[in-house]
Structure formats: C-alpha cells, structure tokens
Amino acid sequence: QKNDDKIIWGLSTPKFPNTGIHKQYLASTQEHFFFDCPHCKEEIELLWEDSFVLCGESVDDPTVHDSYLKCSKCQCKLDHKDKKKWLKGGSWRATNPEADPTLSRGFWVSQLYSPTVSPGELAVAFLRGRGDEDARREFHNSKLGLPYIEDAYQVTDQNIDAAIKNY
C-alpha cells in the first residue's frame, strides 16, 4: 500500500516569541510531558517556577549543586538519580485544544527532564544569567526550551503611548 502523505519535521530551539519554530509550535498541539509523582502519585509536569528549588547565591557557591526538582503538588524532592524511573510511564498531552493533531503536532522539550543534565547544572546556568543578558537568553532558550526577549528590547504600552503624536 502506497502512502502519499508527507511529513515535515521542524526541530529547533525557540529564540524569540511568535517567530520561527515558536510560531510553528503555537499553531500545533503544544504537547507537554506529564508523569505521576513517585511520592503522591498525582500527575505533574516539570516547570521551572513550580518544580525547581534553587540553592546557593552564585555560580561559585558550592551549595548550588544542592539544587533539586520537586513535585509541584506534594512538594517532595524528586531525586535526579531516579529520574529515568519516575519519568517512565509518562506521556505527552496536547495543551492546545484548537489544533488539529492530524495537521500539526508540537512538543515542548525542556532540560528539566534530561537525565544527563543535573539540577546543579541548571542552577549554574540560571545564576550566570542574573548579570548577563546573553546567559539569561541562553538559559531560557536552550535549558528551558522557551523563547525569550530581554526586557530592554520589548515594546511596552508605555513606549507606544509615548510615541503617539498629533500630526
């Protein structure tokens, strides 16, 4: 049986909102990976704000490597060494009900899920970005898999209001 359907793959790191791969992702199913917490058995996903505990104040602080992932529901520590075990059995779930999965599926991939990237490494990358815009952009783009524009480059409503003149 011959199948004439074509599949087009788009793989990239999102850089800026609403352009490139991020624009394609927004038109897709926007699938996120969910799994059951090994402690409370509730279904969760790993999100930086809800699932990461940052230890240490700087990249030179030895306690930075004590940083860890936690369940967003029960707050229990998710041991990095057991990551493959607690991610096993998880599944991708579409978060964009408007998208037709037969036309465009998209997947958000974050290094929070990586068994080869430790929470300490993510913490160091985050802390590097506190005083360095390039490092901050790299953290959001490459580590979290999110588009990012520095605050200084964003156009705000105040910028637009200030630019309006009577002609």
Side-chain angles (χ1 to χ4, degrees), residues 39-66:
H39 303 286
C40 69
K41 309 301 182 214
E42 292 287 327
E43 187 176 65
I44 61 171
E45 70 174 311
L46 296 177
L47 300 171
W48 177 257
E49 299 82 18
D50 300 334
S51 309
F52 197 86
V53 176
L54 178 66
C55 298
E57 295 295 319
S58 73
V59 296
D60 300 321
D61 187 335
T63 63
V64 76
H65 294 286
D66 295 333

PDB file of all heavy atoms in Angstrom, residues 39-66:
ATOM      1  N   HIS A  39       5.936  10.150  44.707  1.00  0.00           N
ATOM      2  CA  HIS A  39       5.561  10.263  46.118  1.00  0.00           C
ATOM      3  C   HIS A  39       4.041  10.311  46.306  1.00  0.00           C
ATOM      4  O   HIS A  39       3.477   9.473  46.999  1.00  0.00           O
ATOM      5  CB  HIS A  39       6.217  11.500  46.744  1.00  0.00           C
ATOM      6  CG  HIS A  39       7.701  11.503  46.614  1.00  0.00           C
ATOM      7  ND1 HIS A  39       8.512  10.691  47.363  1.00  0.00           N
ATOM      8  CD2 HIS A  39       8.522  12.211  45.786  1.00  0.00           C
ATOM      9  CE1 HIS A  39       9.780  10.895  47.018  1.00  0.00           C
ATOM     10  NE2 HIS A  39       9.812  11.803  46.056  1.00  0.00           N
ATOM     11  N   CYS A  40       3.393  11.289  45.672  1.00  0.00           N
ATOM     12  CA  CYS A  40       1.948  11.469  45.883  1.00  0.00           C
ATOM     13  C   CYS A  40       1.095  10.834  44.785  1.00  0.00           C
ATOM     14  O   CYS A  40      -0.121  10.783  44.905  1.00  0.00           O
ATOM     15  CB  CYS A  40       1.612  12.947  46.016  1.00  0.00           C
ATOM     16  SG  CYS A  40       1.806  13.929  44.498  1.00  0.00           S
ATOM     17  N   LYS A  41       1.737  10.372  43.703  1.00  0.00           N
ATOM     18  CA  LYS A  41       1.066   9.714  42.571  1.00  0.00           C
ATOM     19  C   LYS A  41       0.166  10.646  41.770  1.00  0.00           C
ATOM     20  O   LYS A  41      -0.575  10.209  40.894  1.00  0.00           O
ATOM     21  CB  LYS A  41       0.255   8.488  43.013  1.00  0.00           C
ATOM     22  CG  LYS A  41       1.030   7.498  43.869  1.00  0.00           C
ATOM     23  CD  LYS A  41       2.237   6.963  43.171  1.00  0.00           C
ATOM     24  CE  LYS A  41       2.956   5.937  44.048  1.00  0.00           C
ATOM     25  NZ  LYS A  41       4.380   5.920  43.902  1.00  0.00           N
ATOM     26  N   GLU A  42       0.232  11.949  42.035  1.00  0.00           N
ATOM     27  CA  GLU A  42      -0.525  12.922  41.244  1.00  0.00           C
ATOM     28  C   GLU A  42       0.204  13.165  39.929  1.00  0.00           C
ATOM     29  O   GLU A  42       1.429  13.136  39.866  1.00  0.00           O
ATOM     30  CB  GLU A  42      -0.655  14.243  42.008  1.00  0.00           C
ATOM     31  CG  GLU A  42      -1.527  14.165  43.239  1.00  0.00           C
ATOM     32  CD  GLU A  42      -2.996  14.071  42.929  1.00  0.00           C
ATOM     33  OE1 GLU A  42      -3.443  14.649  41.913  1.00  0.00           O
ATOM     34  OE2 GLU A  42      -3.704  13.407  43.695  1.00  0.00           O
ATOM     35  N   GLU A  43      -0.557  13.471  38.883  1.00  0.00           N
ATOM     36  CA  GLU A  43       0.047  13.749  37.589  1.00  0.00           C
ATOM     37  C   GLU A  43       0.594  15.178  37.571  1.00  0.00           C
ATOM     38  O   GLU A  43      -0.109  16.122  37.942  1.00  0.00           O
ATOM     39  CB  GLU A  43      -0.985  13.570  36.477  1.00  0.00           C
ATOM     40  CG  GLU A  43      -0.370  13.669  35.105  1.00  0.00           C
ATOM     41  CD  GLU A  43      -1.357  13.390  34.013  1.00  0.00           C
ATOM     42  OE1 GLU A  43      -2.315  14.181  33.862  1.00  0.00           O
ATOM     43  OE2 GLU A  43      -1.167  12.389  33.302  1.00  0.00           O
ATOM     44  N   ILE A  44       1.857  15.306  37.168  1.00  0.00           N
ATOM     45  CA  ILE A  44       2.515  16.611  37.149  1.00  0.00           C
ATOM     46  C   ILE A  44       3.365  16.758  35.890  1.00  0.00           C
ATOM     47  O   ILE A  44       3.580  15.790  35.162  1.00  0.00           O
ATOM     48  CB  ILE A  44       3.411  16.820  38.392  1.00  0.00           C
ATOM     49  CG1 ILE A  44       4.519  15.759  38.454  1.00  0.00           C
ATOM     50  CG2 ILE A  44       2.589  16.841  39.666  1.00  0.00           C
ATOM     51  CD1 ILE A  44       5.574  16.006  39.515  1.00  0.00           C
ATOM     52  N   GLU A  45       3.846  17.974  35.673  1.00  0.00           N
ATOM     53  CA  GLU A  45       4.858  18.237  34.666  1.00  0.00           C
ATOM     54  C   GLU A  45       5.930  19.085  35.331  1.00  0.00           C
ATOM     55  O   GLU A  45       5.701  19.715  36.368  1.00  0.00           O
ATOM     56  CB  GLU A  45       4.288  18.922  33.428  1.00  0.00           C
ATOM     57  CG  GLU A  45       3.851  20.352  33.626  1.00  0.00           C
ATOM     58  CD  GLU A  45       3.430  21.025  32.328  1.00  0.00           C
ATOM     59  OE1 GLU A  45       4.166  20.959  31.334  1.00  0.00           O
ATOM     60  OE2 GLU A  45       2.345  21.630  32.329  1.00  0.00           O
ATOM     61  N   LEU A  46       7.109  19.111  34.753  1.00  0.00           N
ATOM     62  CA  LEU A  46       8.209  19.886  35.311  1.00  0.00           C
ATOM     63  C   LEU A  46       8.227  21.278  34.696  1.00  0.00           C
ATOM     64  O   LEU A  46       8.394  21.428  33.490  1.00  0.00           O
ATOM     65  CB  LEU A  46       9.548  19.181  35.049  1.00  0.00           C
ATOM     66  CG  LEU A  46       9.726  17.830  35.723  1.00  0.00           C
ATOM     67  CD1 LEU A  46      11.062  17.208  35.324  1.00  0.00           C
ATOM     68  CD2 LEU A  46       9.616  17.940  37.240  1.00  0.00           C
ATOM     69  N   LEU A  47       8.021  22.266  35.533  1.00  0.00           N
ATOM     70  CA  LEU A  47       8.072  23.669  35.128  1.00  0.00           C
ATOM     71  C   LEU A  47       9.044  24.389  36.058  1.00  0.00           C
ATOM     72  O   LEU A  47       9.041  24.151  37.266  1.00  0.00           O
ATOM     73  CB  LEU A  47       6.687  24.311  35.221  1.00  0.00           C
ATOM     74  CG  LEU A  47       5.599  23.679  34.371  1.00  0.00           C
ATOM     75  CD1 LEU A  47       4.237  24.260  34.710  1.00  0.00           C
ATOM     76  CD2 LEU A  47       5.906  23.867  32.892  1.00  0.00           C
ATOM     77  N   TRP A  48       9.857  25.256  35.509  1.00  0.00           N
ATOM     78  CA  TRP A  48      10.900  25.924  36.282  1.00  0.00           C
ATOM     79  C   TRP A  48      10.348  26.569  37.556  1.00  0.00           C
ATOM     80  O   TRP A  48      10.847  26.336  38.648  1.00  0.00           O
ATOM     81  CB  TRP A  48      11.609  26.960  35.405  1.00  0.00           C
ATOM     82  CG  TRP A  48      12.654  27.738  36.144  1.00  0.00           C
ATOM     83  CD1 TRP A  48      12.569  29.014  36.611  1.00  0.00           C
ATOM     84  CD2 TRP A  48      13.959  27.264  36.514  1.00  0.00           C
ATOM     85  NE1 TRP A  48      13.726  29.364  37.235  1.00  0.00           N
ATOM     86  CE2 TRP A  48      14.603  28.307  37.192  1.00  0.00           C
ATOM     87  CE3 TRP A  48      14.639  26.066  36.343  1.00  0.00           C
ATOM     88  CZ2 TRP A  48      15.896  28.200  37.685  1.00  0.00           C
ATOM     89  CZ3 TRP A  48      15.931  25.953  36.834  1.00  0.00           C
ATOM     90  CH2 TRP A  48      16.535  27.004  37.504  1.00  0.00           C
ATOM     91  N   GLU A  49       9.326  27.381  37.431  1.00  0.00           N
ATOM     92  CA  GLU A  49       8.814  28.133  38.578  1.00  0.00           C
ATOM     93  C   GLU A  49       8.212  27.227  39.654  1.00  0.00           C
ATOM     94  O   GLU A  49       8.303  27.537  40.835  1.00  0.00           O
ATOM     95  CB  GLU A  49       7.740  29.140  38.129  1.00  0.00           C
ATOM     96  CG  GLU A  49       8.227  30.169  37.149  1.00  0.00           C
ATOM     97  CD  GLU A  49       8.244  29.657  35.714  1.00  0.00           C
ATOM     98  OE1 GLU A  49       7.580  28.650  35.392  1.00  0.00           O
ATOM     99  OE2 GLU A  49       8.961  30.267  34.901  1.00  0.00           O
ATOM    100  N   ASP A  50       7.578  26.146  39.249  1.00  0.00           N
ATOM    101  CA  ASP A  50       6.854  25.282  40.187  1.00  0.00           C
ATOM    102  C   ASP A  50       7.654  24.082  40.670  1.00  0.00           C
ATOM    103  O   ASP A  50       7.327  23.509  41.706  1.00  0.00           O
ATOM    104  CB  ASP A  50       5.579  24.737  39.525  1.00  0.00           C
ATOM    105  CG  ASP A  50       4.635  25.833  39.094  1.00  0.00           C
ATOM    106  OD1 ASP A  50       4.653  26.928  39.677  1.00  0.00           O
ATOM    107  OD2 ASP A  50       3.871  25.597  38.141  1.00  0.00           O
ATOM    108  N   SER A  51       8.662  23.681  39.916  1.00  0.00           N
ATOM    109  CA  SER A  51       9.311  22.392  40.168  1.00  0.00           C
ATOM    110  C   SER A  51      10.788  22.479  40.532  1.00  0.00           C
ATOM    111  O   SER A  51      11.423  21.458  40.734  1.00  0.00           O
ATOM    112  CB  SER A  51       9.189  21.496  38.930  1.00  0.00           C
ATOM    113  OG  SER A  51       7.864  21.410  38.485  1.00  0.00           O
ATOM    114  N   PHE A  52      11.346  23.673  40.596  1.00  0.00           N
ATOM    115  CA  PHE A  52      12.782  23.791  40.820  1.00  0.00           C
ATOM    116  C   PHE A  52      13.068  24.517  42.127  1.00  0.00           C
ATOM    117  O   PHE A  52      12.502  25.570  42.395  1.00  0.00           O
ATOM    118  CB  PHE A  52      13.452  24.552  39.669  1.00  0.00           C
ATOM    119  CG  PHE A  52      14.940  24.367  39.635  1.00  0.00           C
ATOM    120  CD1 PHE A  52      15.504  23.283  38.987  1.00  0.00           C
ATOM    121  CD2 PHE A  52      15.781  25.269  40.274  1.00  0.00           C
ATOM    122  CE1 PHE A  52      16.877  23.092  38.968  1.00  0.00           C
ATOM    123  CE2 PHE A  52      17.149  25.098  40.255  1.00  0.00           C
ATOM    124  CZ  PHE A  52      17.705  24.004  39.602  1.00  0.00           C
ATOM    125  N   VAL A  53      13.958  23.941  42.926  1.00  0.00           N
ATOM    126  CA  VAL A  53      14.406  24.582  44.163  1.00  0.00           C
ATOM    127  C   VAL A  53      15.866  24.981  43.946  1.00  0.00           C
ATOM    128  O   VAL A  53      16.733  24.119  43.781  1.00  0.00           O
ATOM    129  CB  VAL A  53      14.262  23.654  45.380  1.00  0.00           C
ATOM    130  CG1 VAL A  53      14.818  24.305  46.623  1.00  0.00           C
ATOM    131  CG2 VAL A  53      12.798  23.259  45.575  1.00  0.00           C
ATOM    132  N   LEU A  54      16.110  26.276  43.935  1.00  0.00           N
ATOM    133  CA  LEU A  54      17.447  26.818  43.718  1.00  0.00           C
ATOM    134  C   LEU A  54      18.159  26.947  45.056  1.00  0.00           C
ATOM    135  O   LEU A  54      17.647  27.576  45.986  1.00  0.00           O
ATOM    136  CB  LEU A  54      17.348  28.187  43.044  1.00  0.00           C
ATOM    137  CG  LEU A  54      18.651  28.922  42.792  1.00  0.00           C
ATOM    138  CD1 LEU A  54      19.502  28.173  41.768  1.00  0.00           C
ATOM    139  CD2 LEU A  54      18.376  30.347  42.331  1.00  0.00           C
ATOM    140  N   CYS A  55      19.334  26.378  45.141  1.00  0.00           N
ATOM    141  CA  CYS A  55      20.179  26.510  46.320  1.00  0.00           C
ATOM    142  C   CYS A  55      21.415  27.307  45.912  1.00  0.00           C
ATOM    143  O   CYS A  55      21.890  27.193  44.790  1.00  0.00           O
ATOM    144  CB  CYS A  55      20.591  25.145  46.856  1.00  0.00           C
ATOM    145  SG  CYS A  55      19.198  24.131  47.385  1.00  0.00           S
ATOM    146  N   GLY A  56      21.920  28.098  46.824  1.00  0.00           N
ATOM    147  CA  GLY A  56      23.112  28.881  46.544  1.00  0.00           C
ATOM    148  C   GLY A  56      22.772  30.240  45.986  1.00  0.00           C
ATOM    149  O   GLY A  56      21.679  30.460  45.475  1.00  0.00           O
ATOM    150  N   GLU A  57      23.752  31.135  46.087  1.00  0.00           N
ATOM    151  CA  GLU A  57      23.559  32.519  45.662  1.00  0.00           C
ATOM    152  C   GLU A  57      24.359  32.887  44.422  1.00  0.00           C
ATOM    153  O   GLU A  57      24.100  33.904  43.804  1.00  0.00           O
ATOM    154  CB  GLU A  57      23.947  33.462  46.811  1.00  0.00           C
ATOM    155  CG  GLU A  57      23.058  33.328  48.024  1.00  0.00           C
ATOM    156  CD  GLU A  57      21.624  33.731  47.764  1.00  0.00           C
ATOM    157  OE1 GLU A  57      21.407  34.743  47.056  1.00  0.00           O
ATOM    158  OE2 GLU A  57      20.715  33.038  48.230  1.00  0.00           O
ATOM    159  N   SER A  58      25.368  32.081  44.094  1.00  0.00           N
ATOM    160  CA  SER A  58      26.206  32.394  42.944  1.00  0.00           C
ATOM    161  C   SER A  58      26.743  31.104  42.343  1.00  0.00           C
ATOM    162  O   SER A  58      26.659  30.042  42.963  1.00  0.00           O
ATOM    163  CB  SER A  58      27.372  33.296  43.356  1.00  0.00           C
ATOM    164  OG  SER A  58      28.323  32.553  44.093  1.00  0.00           O
ATOM    165  N   VAL A  59      27.337  31.218  41.152  1.00  0.00           N
ATOM    166  CA  VAL A  59      27.893  30.035  40.497  1.00  0.00           C
ATOM    167  C   VAL A  59      29.064  29.458  41.288  1.00  0.00           C
ATOM    168  O   VAL A  59      29.387  28.281  41.150  1.00  0.00           O
ATOM    169  CB  VAL A  59      28.316  30.325  39.042  1.00  0.00           C
ATOM    170  CG1 VAL A  59      27.112  30.691  38.201  1.00  0.00           C
ATOM    171  CG2 VAL A  59      29.374  31.397  38.968  1.00  0.00           C
ATOM    172  N   ASP A  60      29.700  30.273  42.125  1.00  0.00           N
ATOM    173  CA  ASP A  60      30.832  29.814  42.939  1.00  0.00           C
ATOM    174  C   ASP A  60      30.410  29.212  44.276  1.00  0.00           C
ATOM    175  O   ASP A  60      31.239  28.664  44.993  1.00  0.00           O
ATOM    176  CB  ASP A  60      31.795  30.981  43.191  1.00  0.00           C
ATOM    177  CG  ASP A  60      32.346  31.548  41.894  1.00  0.00           C
ATOM    178  OD1 ASP A  60      32.634  30.745  40.980  1.00  0.00           O
ATOM    179  OD2 ASP A  60      32.461  32.784  41.795  1.00  0.00           O
ATOM    180  N   ASP A  61      29.150  29.348  44.630  1.00  0.00           N
ATOM    181  CA  ASP A  61      28.637  28.817  45.900  1.00  0.00           C
ATOM    182  C   ASP A  61      28.530  27.295  45.781  1.00  0.00           C
ATOM    183  O   ASP A  61      27.804  26.794  44.911  1.00  0.00           O
ATOM    184  CB  ASP A  61      27.266  29.433  46.167  1.00  0.00           C
ATOM    185  CG  ASP A  61      26.696  29.092  47.522  1.00  0.00           C
ATOM    186  OD1 ASP A  61      27.061  28.044  48.089  1.00  0.00           O
ATOM    187  OD2 ASP A  61      25.864  29.878  48.008  1.00  0.00           O
ATOM    188  N   PRO A  62      29.225  26.549  46.614  1.00  0.00           N
ATOM    189  CA  PRO A  62      29.174  25.081  46.494  1.00  0.00           C
ATOM    190  C   PRO A  62      27.783  24.487  46.737  1.00  0.00           C
ATOM    191  O   PRO A  62      27.476  23.414  46.236  1.00  0.00           O
ATOM    192  CB  PRO A  62      30.169  24.584  47.539  1.00  0.00           C
ATOM    193  CG  PRO A  62      30.541  25.747  48.366  1.00  0.00           C
ATOM    194  CD  PRO A  62      30.133  26.993  47.669  1.00  0.00           C
ATOM    195  N   THR A  63      26.916  25.214  47.445  1.00  0.00           N
ATOM    196  CA  THR A  63      25.572  24.683  47.698  1.00  0.00           C
ATOM    197  C   THR A  63      24.677  24.740  46.469  1.00  0.00           C
ATOM    198  O   THR A  63      23.582  24.184  46.480  1.00  0.00           O
ATOM    199  CB  THR A  63      24.884  25.410  48.880  1.00  0.00           C
ATOM    200  OG1 THR A  63      24.708  26.792  48.544  1.00  0.00           O
ATOM    201  CG2 THR A  63      25.701  25.277  50.159  1.00  0.00           C
ATOM    202  N   VAL A  64      25.142  25.422  45.390  1.00  0.00           N
ATOM    203  CA  VAL A  64      24.346  25.495  44.165  1.00  0.00           C
ATOM    204  C   VAL A  64      24.055  24.081  43.640  1.00  0.00           C
ATOM    205  O   VAL A  64      23.004  23.826  43.038  1.00  0.00           O
ATOM    206  CB  VAL A  64      25.019  26.396  43.108  1.00  0.00           C
ATOM    207  CG1 VAL A  64      26.192  25.710  42.446  1.00  0.00           C
ATOM    208  CG2 VAL A  64      24.024  26.840  42.059  1.00  0.00           C
ATOM    209  N   HIS A  65      24.972  23.158  43.914  1.00  0.00           N
ATOM    210  CA  HIS A  65      24.784  21.782  43.433  1.00  0.00           C
ATOM    211  C   HIS A  65      23.837  20.975  44.321  1.00  0.00           C
ATOM    212  O   HIS A  65      23.576  19.804  44.045  1.00  0.00           O
ATOM    213  CB  HIS A  65      26.141  21.101  43.264  1.00  0.00           C
ATOM    214  CG  HIS A  65      26.937  21.757  42.182  1.00  0.00           C
ATOM    215  ND1 HIS A  65      26.648  21.602  40.842  1.00  0.00           N
ATOM    216  CD2 HIS A  65      27.968  22.637  42.232  1.00  0.00           C
ATOM    217  CE1 HIS A  65      27.474  22.332  40.116  1.00  0.00           C
ATOM    218  NE2 HIS A  65      28.293  22.968  40.937  1.00  0.00           N
ATOM    219  N   ASP A  66      23.289  21.619  45.359  1.00  0.00           N
ATOM    220  CA  ASP A  66      22.241  21.003  46.169  1.00  0.00           C
ATOM    221  C   ASP A  66      20.856  21.317  45.608  1.00  0.00           C
ATOM    222  O   ASP A  66      19.850  20.852  46.146  1.00  0.00           O
ATOM    223  CB  ASP A  66      22.322  21.493  47.625  1.00  0.00           C
ATOM    224  CG  ASP A  66      23.601  21.061  48.318  1.00  0.00           C
ATOM    225  OD1 ASP A  66      24.165  20.018  47.928  1.00  0.00           O
ATOM    226  OD2 ASP A  66      24.041  21.768  49.248  1.00  0.00           O
TER     227      ASP A  66
END
